[in-house]
Amino acid sequence: MQLHLLRIALAAFAFFLGVLAAPAPEPRATTGISQEVFDELKFYYQYASSSFSDKCAKPNGNVFVKRINNAITDTQGFIARDDDRKEIIVALRGSGSLIDGLVDIAFVPVPLISRGINPPLFSFIHAGFLTAYNSVADVIINTVKDELVVHPDYTLVTSGHSLGGALASIAGLSLQQNFHNNTVRMYTYGQPRTFNSVAAFFVNSKFGNRAHRSVHVNDVIPHIVPQGILDFRHHGIEYWQFVEPAVPANFKSCNADGEDPNCSKTVRSIGGPSAHEMYFDIQSGTIFCS
């Protein structure tokens, strides 16, 4: 809790600068989402939440494949397989330690260099997030490759909350670039900006409507890495829960370019820890492992 309070405090100044500099809202967002989309977003959040567990025997009731764990960068998660949906899921854990806090604030942009990813020139990314992902990239890619030998037609899915959301977005791009014959979808929750504009538009070009990014009311963490001179930018479709409670009518489906000014960027207040830790009325870290 103290780590999240510190991150929220550090975010406040950058957030307000971003709000003041934001362009006027445009009529892009659609209010209300279908029950099907709502249930899908909630279902994959349960993977993200379960990634906080050191042992998850049956993630979302499905097959546990492999634990992800790098002690140096404190990057954890798991790989699961859903044989009913024909999916291989990579879930990555959000912040939970001082090391994670250091990863979060290392937002110097660096070239997007990771195994199998071939981005356009001038693609940059948050240094801390890239370092953390690259520390587990080989484990993820090699394990998914082994699974696809047995299940070659399965869809690949990534999921994560907060820091885990940033890592899940990199993992999603990584899987799309390494496994061209498989459909890849990504689901992130309370994700801070991760890529610069060139890289974010590259992600959009590869994913279209298969990149899902949820924001809960006035959660400040999605704004913790400012756009400004460093040129960070969100990617994918933002699904913004603009008011309580978490029901389909209280969400907006936002423009697919990632920075719809009519969605969470319109918020003029900073939420406390509950705004960041509670998605779909589920406390982050709640386990769905049986």
Side-chain angles (χ1 to χ4, degrees):
M1 180 65 73
Q2 290 179 342
L3 176 61
H4 290 303
L5 288 172
L6 175 61
R7 289 212 316 274
I8 289 170
L10 290 173
F13 183 64
F15 172 75
F16 280 122
L17 285 181
V19 166
L20 292 172
E26 299 176 16
R28 293 180 174 182
T30 300
T31 300
I33 60 176
S34 69
Q35 186 67 51
E36 180 182 9
V37 170
F38 177 88
D39 291 343
E40 179 178 293
L41 295 171
K42 182 177 179 179
F43 179 76
Y44 290 106
Y45 176 67
Q46 292 175 182
Y47 281 114
S49 185
S50 298
S51 67
F52 283 85
S53 174
D54 291 335
K55 295 181 180 179
C56 192
K58 298 182 67 177
N60 265 357
N62 295 304
V63 178
F64 174 85
V65 175
K66 190 176 185 67
R67 179 71 181 162
I68 299 166
N69 185 21
N70 184 286
I72 296 175
T73 62
D74 196 30
T75 302
Q76 283 98 32
F78 59 75
I79 298 172
R81 191 180 71 245
D82 185 333
D83 292 320
D84 291 331
R85 295 179 180 237
K86 294 187 175 181
E87 294 176 344
I88 298 166
I89 305 96
V90 177
L92 291 158
R93 195 206 72 188
S95 300
S97 70
L98 177 59
I99 294 175
D100 294 333
L102 295 175
V103 167
D104 287 333
I105 64 174
F107 56 81
V108 175
V110 296
L112 175 51
I113 300 173
S114 188
R115 176 179 167 183
I117 298 179
N118 296 296
L121 289 174
F122 308 114
S123 293
F124 286 81
I125 188 172
H126 183 294
F129 299 155
L130 181 64
T131 300
Y133 175 72
N134 280 344
S135 73
V136 296
D138 285 344
V139 171
I140 291 173
I141 294 169
N142 293 341
T143 303
V144 170
K145 182 177 181 180
D146 290 343
E147 286 294 305
L148 289 176
V149 171
V150 184
H151 309 283
D153 61 337
Y154 275 30
T155 295
L156 308 180
V157 179
T158 64
S159 179
H161 169 261
S162 192
L163 165 61
L167 300 180
S169 69
I170 306 171
L173 179 61
S174 175
L175 294 180
Q176 187 278 326
Q177 292 280 281
N178 280 278
F179 304 104
H180 299 286
N181 295 326
N182 297 86
T183 299
V184 184
R185 304 197 314 276
M186 66 171 74
Y187 297 83
T188 72
Y189 307 86
Q191 176 192 346
R193 292 185 181 92
T194 304
F195 304 97
N196 79 336
S197 60
V198 174
F201 285 126
F202 177 60
V203 174
N204 288 346
S205 73
K206 297 300 181 182
F207 280 81
N209 63 2
R210 291 178 287 107
H212 311 78
R213 187 175 55 80
S214 296
V215 178
H216 179 215
V217 289
N218 56 348
D219 181 358
V220 69
I221 300 303
H223 308 280
I224 193 170
V225 180
Q227 290 182 270
I229 61 173
L230 297 181
D231 192 33
F232 283 103
R233 183 182 181 89
H234 276 307
H235 64 276
I237 300 174
E238 177 185 336
Y239 292 91
W240 179 38
Q241 181 189 335
F242 57 90
V243 68
E244 304 291 359
V247 295
N250 291 342
F251 278 76
K252 288 187 177 183
S253 177
C254 307
N255 187 274
D257 73 359
E259 291 285 355
D260 190 332
N262 205 41
C263 286
S264 65
K265 291 178 73 172
T266 63
V267 174
R268 297 297 195 269
S269 64
I270 290 179
S274 63
H276 183 59
E277 294 301 323
M278 190 75 69
Y279 272 71
F280 298 90
D281 294 331
I282 298 170
Q283 178 72 32
S284 177
T286 303
I287 307 304
F288 299 86
C289 293
S290 61

